[in-house]
Amino acid sequence: MKDPSLRRVAPSLDLIYFRYGEALLAANLPEKAAAQFLLGAAAVKAHEQLVTMSHLRAAQALDLAGKRQEALAQYRITLLRPKVFDSRSEAARGLREQYRQTSSNNGR
């Protein structure tokens, strides 16, 4: 994914980064997952909805990594973005309490 020529071949880098972040979270590697979510959010021509969800998932991953201040910043960014599913309510909850991953991946 670091190869610049891939950008011409794979216009969906945002989705690739997002899915890789999800896989890293499932592997209990939240700090690495957060980095992938943030790369997805910053990808050229990233879909707006995926950018929103990438910021939310980065926040949650950062919470799991014990980086609460960084997580709070990502929750705040999520609140400023267009609403996608329950992104705003999840971000507001994240501002109130630290995210905890459950076996069903539904959060708290």
Side-chain angles (χ1 to χ4, degrees), residues 15-28:
L15 182 58
I16 293 168
Y17 285 123
F18 186 84
R19 292 293 186 191
Y20 188 36
E22 291 290 339
L24 289 167
L25 264 184
N28 200 28

Side-chain angles (χ1 to χ4, degrees), residues 19-44:
R19 292 293 186 191
Y20 188 36
E22 291 290 339
L24 289 167
L25 264 184
N28 200 28
L29 297 168
E31 200 164 346
K32 289 183 178 187
Q36 295 305 309
F37 290 129
L38 292 174
L39 284 170
V44 176

Side-chain angles (χ1 to χ4, degrees), residues 23-78:
L24 289 167
L25 264 184
N28 200 28
L29 297 168
E31 200 164 346
K32 289 183 178 187
Q36 295 305 309
F37 290 129
L38 292 174
L39 284 170
V44 176
K45 297 183 182 178
H47 290 82
E48 289 299 311
Q49 297 89 350
L50 200 51
V51 172
T52 297
M53 294 307 295
S54 293
H55 283 292
L56 176 61
R57 294 301 280 156
Q60 293 169 336
L62 289 164
D63 257 346
L64 291 171
K67 297 187 171 208
R68 183 70 176 146
Q69 293 306 310
E70 292 176 48
L72 291 172
Q74 292 302 313
Y75 287 127
R76 289 184 188 107
I77 290 170
T78 302

Side-chain angles (χ1 to χ4, degrees), residues 80-100:
L80 296 174
R81 301 213 30 91
K83 181 182 176 186
V84 178
F85 303 114
D86 59 352
S87 61
R88 288 189 182 155
S89 63
E90 285 296 310
R93 182 186 294 182
L95 289 174
R96 289 189 309 270
E97 63 185 70
Q98 187 171 349
Y99 177 80
R100 288 171 180 42

